[in-house]
Amino acid sequence: SLVLPSVSSFTSNPRTMPRPDGSSTPAAEGERKYLVAGNWKCNGTLASNEELVKTFNEAGPIPSNVEVAICCPSVYLPQLLSSLRDDIQIGAQDCGVNDKNGAFTGEIGAFQIKDIGCDWVIIGHSERREGFEMPGETPDLCAKKTRVAIDAGLKVMFCIGEKKEQREDGTTMDVCASQLEPLAAVLTESDWSSIAIAYEPVWAIGTGLTATPEMAQETHASIRDWISQNVSADVAGKVRIQYGGSMKGANAKDLLEQPDIDGGLIGGASL
C-alpha cells in the first residue's frame, strides 16, 4: 500500500525529502539541453500515480543532453516529491498571481510551490488561456504570473500558440508575438535563463492532429527570431523552445531532429 510522507518530512527540510537516485549525467557546458516534460493535466489518483512513478523509476538512464520534468496536479505534488527518482524534476501546472500569503481562496502561490521542493511551473497553457466555463487568462496575467514565479525561484514553461482559424489566416506569429510581448516586458535578460517557451498549436492539442516537423520547425524558428529581435541574440540562442502539440512516441524523433525544437511539453502521451 502507498505510504505518504509525514508532515514533519516537509516542514523540517522541504527540499531534501528522500527520493530514489536517478542515473543521468551532466551535459556538456553550453549545450542547449532538450527539455521533455509531462503535463498530467487533471488526471491521476494516488494508485495510478504510484504505477506511473514505478514505471519512471525503473526506466533506463536519462541521456546527458536531456532534462526531464513532470507537472502533475498540485494535490499530488507531495506524492511525486517523495517517490519519483531525483533526476526527474517536478513542477506544478499553474500558480497564483499573488506573491505572498493572503486572502486568495483557491490559489496556490508560487512561493508555496517552491517551498515544498518543486522546480517548475507551467504558465499560460492554452486550456487556461481559454478558460473552463469562465474567462480565460489574458496575456498580461500570464506575464505577471511568470514574474511572480521567477521571483519565487521557480523555472517557467511559458505556453504560447495559435488556434486553427489563426493558423489558416496566416496570423500564427502575430498571435505568438502578442503573447510574448507582455512576457518580454516584465523579464530582465538574465531572467530568461529560467524560461522555456512551449509552443502549442492549439488546434493540435488532444485532437490527434500534429503539425508536420517542417511546420513546427518554421514556427519555432520564427519564435526564436522574434526573441532575437525583441530581447537579444544571446537569449534567443540559449532559450529552449518545446513543442506542445500532441507529441508522442510515433512523431517525437522527427520533431526533435528539427534544429529549433528543443523538447516537448507532452500531455496525454505522458500518462
Side-chain angles (χ1 to χ4, degrees):
S1 63
L2 178 67
V3 178
L4 291 175
S6 66
V7 172
S8 63
S9 69
F10 290 94
T11 56
S12 59
N13 200 352
R15 280 177 284 281
T16 57
M17 288 183 291
R19 290 170 62 186
D21 291 337
S23 57
S24 60
T25 55
E29 184 67 28
E31 248 182 52
R32 199 167 71 214
K33 294 180 71 170
Y34 288 109
L35 174 59
V36 179
N39 174 17
W40 288 4
K41 305 192 178 186
C42 189
N43 290 292
T45 63
L46 287 172
S48 66
N49 295 347
E50 186 176 14
E51 288 302 310
L52 279 171
V53 166
K54 183 174 184 289
T55 298
F56 280 107
N57 287 350
E58 294 177 353
I62 296 171
S64 62
N65 66 334
V66 179
E67 187 176 345
V68 178
I70 294 175
C71 298
C72 70
S74 294
V75 293
Y76 296 124
L77 290 170
Q79 181 185 14
L80 268 63
L81 285 163
S82 64
S83 61
L84 185 65
R85 57 192 280 185
D86 66 0
D87 57 347
I88 297 179
Q89 298 180 64
I90 297 170
Q93 298 172 7
D94 184 42
C95 70
V97 72
N98 53 301
D99 60 0
K100 57 187 176 183
N101 291 306
F104 306 102
T105 301
E107 293 295 271
I108 301 172
F111 66 96
Q112 294 168 324
I113 295 167
K114 180 66 176 178
D115 187 50
I116 64 170
C118 291
D119 305 290
W120 287 94
V121 63
I122 298 170
I123 292 178
H125 191 280
S126 61
E127 292 158 4
R128 298 201 61 83
R129 289 182 187 266
E130 188 68 17
F132 305 103
E133 298 191 26
M134 57 183 166
E137 298 183 355
T138 66
D140 284 340
L141 177 60
C142 294
K144 288 176 183 176
K145 284 187 173 187
T146 301
R147 178 71 266 165
V148 169
I150 296 292
D151 288 342
L154 291 170
K155 293 178 285 186
V156 175
M157 296 179 219
F158 188 85
C159 302
I160 62 172
E162 84 285 5
K163 297 180 181 179
K164 187 171 185 288
E165 60 270 21
Q166 294 163 331
R167 162 67 64 170
E168 293 171 345
D169 289 345
T171 57
T172 292
M173 265 315 297
D174 293 334
V175 174
C176 290
S178 72
Q179 295 164 343
L180 286 167
E181 284 166 358
L183 178 69
V186 301
L187 298 180
T188 66
E189 189 162 330
S190 63
D191 289 330
W192 283 87
S193 63
S194 297
I195 298 287
I197 300 297
Y199 166 61
E200 310 177 289
V202 179
W203 48 271
I205 298 174
T207 64
L209 300 172
T210 309
T212 65
E214 293 75 22
M215 288 167 62
Q217 163 58 24
E218 180 182 17
T219 305
H220 278 233
S222 295
I223 292 167
R224 200 176 301 283
D225 183 62
W226 188 95
I227 294 170
S228 179
Q229 293 184 37
N230 293 275
V231 183
S232 77
D234 183 60
V235 166
K238 293 176 179 176
V239 70
R240 291 176 292 183
I241 306 175
Q242 302 162 276
Y243 177 74
S246 294
M247 182 182 279
K248 52 198 171 192
N251 60 23
K253 180 177 182 294
D254 290 339
L255 286 164
L256 293 173
E257 284 178 345
Q258 304 303 312
D260 288 296
I261 298 180
D262 304 313
L265 180 58
I266 302 166
S270 69
L271 295 168

